[in-house]
Amino acid sequence: MSIVGAIEAGGTKFVCSVGDDNLTLIDQVSIPTGTPDDTMPAVVDFFKPYLADLKSIGIGSFGPIDIQENSPTYGHFTNTPKVAWQEFDFVGYVKTHLNDIPVAWTTDVNAAAYGEMTQIEGDSLVYFTIGTGLGGGAIQRGQFVGGINHAEMGHILVRKHPEDDYEGYCIFHGDCLEGLACGPAIEGRTGIKGQDLPEDHQVWDFVAYYLAQAAMISDLTLAPSRIVLGGGVMKQEHLIGKIHSEFERLMKDYRPTPPLEDYIVTPALGDNAATIGCLAMAKELTKG
Amino acid sequence: MSIVGAIEAGGTKFVCSVGDDNLTLIDQVSIPTGTPDDTMPAVVDFFKPYLADLKSIGIGSFGPIDIQENSPTYGHFTNTPKVAWQEFDFVGYVKTHLNDIPVAWTTDVNAAAYGEMTQIEGDSLVYFTIGTGLGGGAIQRGQFVGGINHAEMGHILVRKHPEDDYEGYCIFHGDCLEGLACGPAIEGRTGIKGQDLPEDHQVWDFVAYYLAQAAMISDLTLAPSRIVLGGGVMKQEHLIGKIHSEFERLMKDYRPTPPLEDYIVTPALGDNAATIGCLAMAKELTKG
């Protein structure tokens, strides 16, 4: 029996999984994100019982992280706001404690994009996660987009809605895409969590306007087969329709796109996109 | 002797060239852009004397064009505003009249990006041309970016400068990036052509703000080895420094970039970027 592993490393929890060759989950555990000393021993302990059959592990991590293969700090966190994790050698730790197992390593949102790729015919996809933060990653011709660095599409400046006077939540940029459309930015304007706001609250018009711009930038830059919007904020089911309307209004029939209900969508894999993506990345490694 | 050909098909002229294996120009002609019936016979006539040695031709064309290899209208113009060229089968015409010669086919701005790639070490690059219109193209891992369509980065919505009340020049979107920063948009605000405006005119602050946003989107989405800004507007030599300042102000040290004077630059090949890119694309074809 041959199995593959997944680590979805998020800001609040690490979800560790093992799956079979069909990417079907066999076992999974959720570990709260503490310091590396708290969290990492529990991560490797989860995988140890499977080590005899475990071929490889895919990791999708919060960031920023170093994914440049020729870099001396490949596999490390860089200047992440989570101070305890700054410069921590994530890939090195996993390999050291798990018999030098092959590791595939990318951002959490890239991993989710990779997961959603298993659900489409095409070879290109953009994935945004809109939750506590807002991140974006992309795939073209089956490979992650990114030259000297990984994508950080959450920090793009979007055009401000004329009635939105919120100063924004991003500690770097204030009112960038993340600063205007992430969960805390919704609560920051209203004092109420998104899930408790009525569907006709104006903040949803603002969020739809900003996410439609993110989709428009994705289309005009990468023209992917699919644009996936995931994360906690997208659990508001009324939101995707509002985003479709705004996208159409902004694009003004400039060029044809696929039908929007197939083109700009919520994740086919739901909350499992990143875990399935990590398993798929791990499986891809074993082909080499 | 083995030579390669280039057709840089622009809105006002077609520049046809032949070059040697080192991409050194041997001969070149400029043909005004009329209708296909006017222009195309002159294009093929230029290449005919070289046909015995000509291995392939690279074309970089104004658009929109169909570059999807599996499409029945591959090689055609699509809904270009130049009505006489709509649906014209450019690649088919060239192959029919030049002994079915191998043809590489992409947008004019992708061709320019390919040319500038010959000038760097890395394998990713973004190219914007800012002139009569504003177009953007990109390369990742040596391949043009684009999934179901080619990049059209000129039509991204940028954040409006608070003091800029110009309604914009783009016939589709009004005040998108092209509508705010192309040459006619500069003249549209001032009644004066860009080259005749003083360096301290406020319109340059606006243009720098918008082009810095284009560079920021490029960095955060594609993180290329280099971002090249070409076209007539960039002949204003004071502009690139203003763009660097705006880029720094907008990014707010979010993550490190290469030194800006090496990262966001005017074309190393000047006005020859697209022609050299077409020759390089043609040469690449002959490797297969």
Side-chain angles (χ1 to χ4, degrees):
Chain A
M1 186 188 173
S2 159
I3 60 174
V4 286
I7 306 173
E8 185 189 347
T12 57
K13 62 180 193 281
F14 278 43
V15 178
C16 302
S17 315
V18 289
D20 65 17
D21 247 7
N22 301 318
L23 313 185
T24 304
L25 287 182
I26 296 169
D27 193 6
Q28 188 171 64
V29 69
S30 176
I31 299 162
T33 307
T35 67
D37 286 347
D38 300 331
T39 308
M40 292 306 297
V43 168
V44 297
D45 283 350
F46 168 77
F47 289 106
K48 276 184 181 158
Y50 298 100
L51 211 43
D53 299 313
L54 194 63
K55 298 299 174 215
S56 53
I57 292 178
I59 306 176
S61 178
F62 70 88
I65 58 175
D66 186 345
I67 58 171
Q68 297 297 312
E69 285 184 23
N70 54 0
S71 163
T73 55
Y74 173 82
H76 294 231
F77 287 92
T78 59
N79 66 331
T80 172
K82 293 191 174 290
V83 178
W85 293 84
Q86 279 177 8
E87 298 179 26
F88 176 69
D89 179 7
F90 195 155
V91 172
Y93 186 99
V94 169
K95 289 178 82 79
T96 300
H97 290 81
L98 294 172
N99 287 358
D100 204 31
I101 194 166
V103 169
W105 161 249
T106 195
T107 63
D108 42 7
V109 64
N110 272 353
Y114 210 78
E116 288 293 310
M117 278 290 284
T118 65
Q119 305 296 304
I120 66 167
E121 295 289 320
D123 64 355
S124 61
L125 187 139
V126 173
Y127 190 100
F128 285 95
T129 179
I130 305 107
T132 319
L134 199 160
I139 292 170
Q140 292 257 305
R141 298 190 186 85
Q143 294 191 293
F144 294 121
V145 159
I148 57 169
N149 220 322
H150 54 75
E152 282 282 0
M153 297 163 75
H155 293 273
I156 284 169
L157 285 189
V158 284
R159 184 168 296 185
K160 204 95 179 253
H161 190 289
E163 295 174 40
D164 185 10
D165 57 8
Y166 181 55
E167 73 275 15
Y169 183 82
C170 172
I171 56 166
F172 291 97
H173 308 107
D175 58 0
C176 65
L177 174 59
E178 171 171 289
L180 290 170
C182 71
I186 294 168
E187 194 178 345
R189 286 187 188 85
T190 61
I192 301 170
K193 284 188 190 300
Q195 63 262 38
D196 300 324
L197 285 169
E199 287 186 18
D200 60 357
H201 196 290
Q202 191 184 25
V203 74
W204 298 120
D205 297 335
F206 299 162
V207 169
Y209 181 61
Y210 301 132
L211 296 178
Q213 289 184 57
M216 183 172 172
I217 287 171
S218 302
D219 176 82
L220 294 173
T221 306
L222 297 163
S225 298
R226 181 173 277 186
I227 298 165
V228 183
L229 305 177
V233 169
M234 292 308 301
K235 303 241 162 126
Q236 305 303 311
E237 288 178 8
H238 60 92
L239 193 51
I240 193 78
K242 287 194 174 78
I243 294 166
H244 290 162
S245 302
E246 282 297 303
F247 181 87
E248 277 196 312
R249 192 176 66 79
L250 293 173
M251 283 288 270
K252 304 210 193 290
D253 290 323
Y254 175 63
R255 66 176 181 184
T257 63
L260 294 189
E261 59 275 21
D262 301 326
Y263 188 45
I264 303 173
V265 301
T266 53
L269 294 169
D271 291 338
N272 290 323
T275 286
I276 301 296
C278 289
L279 293 177
M281 285 161 51
K283 184 180 166 187
E284 186 66 28
L285 264 193
T286 65
K287 282 192 193 167
Chain B
M1 185 186 174
S2 159
I3 61 174
V4 286
I7 306 173
E8 185 189 348
T12 55
K13 63 180 193 281
F14 278 42
V15 179
C16 301
S17 315
V18 289
D20 67 17
D21 247 7
N22 300 319
L23 312 184
T24 303
L25 287 183
I26 296 169
D27 192 7
Q28 189 171 64
V29 69
S30 177
I31 299 162
T33 306
T35 67
D37 285 347
D38 299 331
T39 309
M40 292 306 296
V43 168
V44 299
D45 282 349
F46 168 77
F47 289 107
K48 275 182 182 161
Y50 298 101
L51 212 44
D53 300 311
L54 194 65
K55 297 299 174 215
S56 53
I57 293 178
I59 306 177
S61 177
F62 70 89
I65 57 175
D66 186 344
I67 59 171
Q68 299 296 311
E69 285 187 21
N70 54 0
S71 162
T73 54
Y74 173 82
H76 295 230
F77 287 92
T78 59
N79 66 331
T80 173
K82 294 191 173 289
V83 178
W85 293 84
Q86 279 178 8
E87 299 178 27
F88 176 71
D89 179 8
F90 194 155
V91 171
Y93 187 99
V94 169
K95 290 177 83 77
T96 300
H97 291 80
L98 294 171
N99 286 357
D100 204 31
I101 193 166
V103 169
W105 161 249
T106 195
T107 63
D108 43 7
V109 64
N110 272 352
Y114 209 79
E116 288 293 309
M117 278 289 285
T118 66
Q119 305 296 305
I120 67 168
E121 295 290 320
D123 64 355
S124 60
L125 187 140
V126 173
Y127 190 101
F128 285 95
T129 179
I130 306 106
T132 319
L134 198 160
I139 291 170
Q140 292 257 303
R141 297 190 186 85
Q143 295 192 293
F144 295 121
V145 159
I148 57 170
N149 220 322
H150 54 75
E152 281 281 2
M153 298 164 74
H155 294 274
I156 285 169
L157 285 189
V158 284
R159 184 168 295 185
K160 203 96 178 252
H161 191 289
E163 295 173 40
D164 185 11
D165 57 7
Y166 181 55
E167 72 275 14
Y169 183 82
C170 172
I171 56 166
F172 291 97
H173 308 108
D175 58 1
C176 64
L177 174 59
E178 172 171 289
L180 290 170
C182 71
I186 294 168
E187 194 177 345
R189 286 187 188 84
T190 59
I192 300 170
K193 284 188 189 302
Q195 63 262 39
D196 299 324
L197 285 168
E199 287 186 19
D200 61 356
H201 196 290
Q202 192 184 24
V203 74
W204 298 121
D205 297 335
F206 299 162
V207 169
Y209 180 61
Y210 302 132
L211 295 178
Q213 289 184 56
M216 183 172 172
I217 287 171
S218 302
D219 177 82
L220 293 173
T221 306
L222 297 163
S225 299
R226 180 173 278 187
I227 298 165
V228 183
L229 306 176
V233 169
M234 293 307 301
K235 303 239 163 129
Q236 306 303 311
E237 288 179 8
H238 60 92
L239 193 51
I240 192 78
K242 287 194 174 78
I243 294 166
H244 290 163
S245 302
E246 283 296 305
F247 181 86
E248 278 197 311
R249 191 176 67 78
L250 293 173
M251 283 289 270
K252 304 210 193 290
D253 289 324
Y254 175 63
R255 66 177 181 184
T257 63
L260 294 189
E261 60 274 21
D262 301 326
Y263 188 46
I264 303 172
V265 300
T266 52
L269 294 169
D271 291 337
N272 289 324
T275 286
I276 301 296
C278 288
L279 292 177
M281 285 161 52
K283 184 180 166 187
E284 185 66 27
L285 265 193
T286 65
K287 282 192 192 166

